[in-house]
Amino acid sequence: MTDTAPILSIQNLKTSVTSGGDTFNVVRGVSLDLYPNEVLCLVGESGCGKTITALSIMRLLPDPPVRIQGGSIEYRGRDLTELSDKEIQQVRSSQISMIFQDPLTSLDPVFTVGHVITEIIRNHLDISKEEARARGIKMFAEVGLPDPERRFDTYPHQLSGGMRQRVMIALALVLDPDILIADEPTTALDVTVQAQILEKLLEEQRERSMSMLLITHDLAVVAAVADRVAVMYAGEIVEEAPVDELFSSPKHPYTQGLLRALPQVGYKRDKLESISGLVPPPQMMPPGCYFAPRCPHALEACWDEHPELTEKEGSRVRCLNPQPFVA
Ligand SMILES: Nc1ncnc2c1ncn2[C@@H]1O[C@H](COP(=O)(O)OP(=O)(O)OP(=O)(O)O)[C@@H](O)[C@H]1O
Ligand SMILES: [Mg+2]
């Protein structure tokens, strides 16, 4: 995988939030490559900055209060952080698309789903309304929206959650992007529908040879679908590895904690373990390793020295004192 050039390369991305007169970074130097044709899963506990990283790539941050402070996001020789609003709009949908957890909040209630897909198509392609309609219906059919011709003229609230997410996938894919970013795409859905939607996403990823950045809390999903995994903690990547390596030999104590907390994936445990302690608030990050306050293996140096991401046995890990994994 890594002998080809990345299609998207994030270097030292810093994104801040301003709140109560204070500005502090919530994404603290994320560096991450996405390769052609791969599924890269981004995991990490709530609030660690996964969504803000994704929205930074798409330049969809609610600014203010959230703003990119530094770093670069290179895509096809251009730095997305430097594009004008007009230029980034051209990239969105046609080259990089995103789907969100809750399709109802990302679909405008006043427009029919057919109107929305027609607009996306016609904003990027010089084709007639009729052609755009035909293309939209075909796309709705492809993502498994039942009776797509009739559904074309319905409003989002008239559809079930699963159907709405199929509509979102259709909107994201209709211009055949290189990259799909899916942020918890199945979390808001019924369990039975979750698997179908995920299967559809992966089918599309394979058929289109698209790259997918999949943000998920579900490590069972990661084990099943990822090529590579990046683990985020407190606004930075702490470990990145091919999926088999990550599950068989996690190196960062935070990743090890996540896996120990997992009942499936081959670890037989009587009860769930969770990682004790809390993430420090973003305004009060310790000077050394951000995980040191929760780490069972922290050395003296870990409190003073902020570790770099370092190559180790096919993984990249941000830890001064990595330990072998005992499940
Ligand atoms: N609009 C906003 N205003 C203020 N703070 C924000 C805003 N959006 C995000 N944050 C803060 O930025 C940090 C990162 O949030 P983010 O949504 O990226 O987390 P996440 O990893 O996606 O979490 P989750 O798994 O719960 O979706 C959090 O501390 C969050 O409170
Ligand atoms: Mg999120």
Side-chain angles (χ1 to χ4, degrees), residues 79-298:
D79 182 354
L80 299 181
T81 67
E82 295 191 334
L83 298 190
S84 67
D85 289 350
K86 194 161 176 238
E87 288 168 328
I88 192 75
Q89 268 171 27
Q90 285 302 316
V91 171
R92 272 185 226 133
S93 302
S94 65
Q95 296 178 303
I96 308 178
S97 273
M98 181 161 175
I99 57 176
F100 302 86
Q101 176 171 334
D102 181 1
L104 201 52
T105 55
S106 32
L107 280 169
D108 194 328
V110 304
F111 296 118
T112 65
V113 296
H115 174 85
V116 178
I117 202 163
T118 310
E119 285 292 294
I120 291 176
I121 297 169
R122 296 193 72 207
N123 278 339
H124 287 86
L125 305 175
D126 186 20
I127 60 176
S128 71
K129 231 175 173 166
E130 292 67 39
E131 284 173 296
R133 182 186 168 94
R135 204 184 261 231
I137 290 172
K138 189 159 166 265
M139 190 67 226
F140 283 151
E142 182 181 322
V143 297
L145 190 70
D147 201 356
E149 207 144 341
R150 188 168 63 83
R151 293 258 153 60
F152 201 79
D153 299 312
T154 57
Y155 291 88
H157 70 268
Q158 296 172 299
L159 300 173
S160 70
M163 283 194 238
R164 279 198 291 266
Q165 199 58 305
R166 287 183 195 274
V167 166
M168 289 308 296
I169 297 171
L171 300 179
L173 298 184
V174 70
L175 297 174
D176 205 14
D178 292 333
I179 298 171
L180 177 67
I181 301 174
D183 188 358
E184 307 266 4
T186 62
T187 312
L189 304 173
D190 290 347
V191 179
T192 47
V193 182
Q194 286 185 359
Q196 296 165 9
I197 295 291
L198 193 66
E199 192 41 57
K200 175 53 73 181
L201 274 175
L202 287 161
E203 185 188 310
E204 294 288 347
Q205 182 270 330
R206 284 189 297 265
E207 280 175 9
R208 294 163 181 269
S209 303
M210 188 170 63
S211 304
M212 180 152 88
L213 177 64
L214 176 64
I215 299 173
T216 175
H217 274 115
D218 190 337
L219 289 178
V221 166
V222 175
V225 311
D227 295 306
R228 285 191 312 129
V229 189
V231 182
M232 215 169 157
Y233 183 79
E236 62 182 10
I237 305 294
V238 294
E239 183 161 1
E240 188 205 302
V243 64
D244 294 344
E245 182 68 22
L246 190 105
F247 280 92
S248 63
S249 175
K251 293 178 179 60
H252 195 283
Y254 176 66
T255 317
Q256 295 181 343
L258 282 183
L259 294 190
R260 278 198 203 99
L262 191 71
Q264 311 99 332
V265 207
Y267 305 116
K268 288 213 167 70
R269 306 211 135 253
D270 294 322
K271 61 179 175 111
L272 283 176
E273 265 182 51
S274 59
I275 305 168
S276 61
L278 293 171
V279 189
Q283 303 91 320
M284 298 173 67
M285 279 298 150
C289 172
Y290 302 151
F291 191 64
R294 298 171 79 180
C295 183
H297 312 296

Side-chain angles (χ1 to χ4, degrees), residues 4-15:
T4 47
I7 186 162
L8 187 82
S9 183
I10 307 174
Q11 297 296 328
N12 205 18
L13 176 71
K14 293 184 174 139
T15 305

Side-chain angles (χ1 to χ4, degrees), residues 17 26 44-52 62 65-66 184 217 282:
V17 167
V26 290
E45 66 199 359
S46 190
C48 71
K50 304 180 298 293
T51 297
I52 297 293
V66 190
E184 307 266 4
H217 274 115

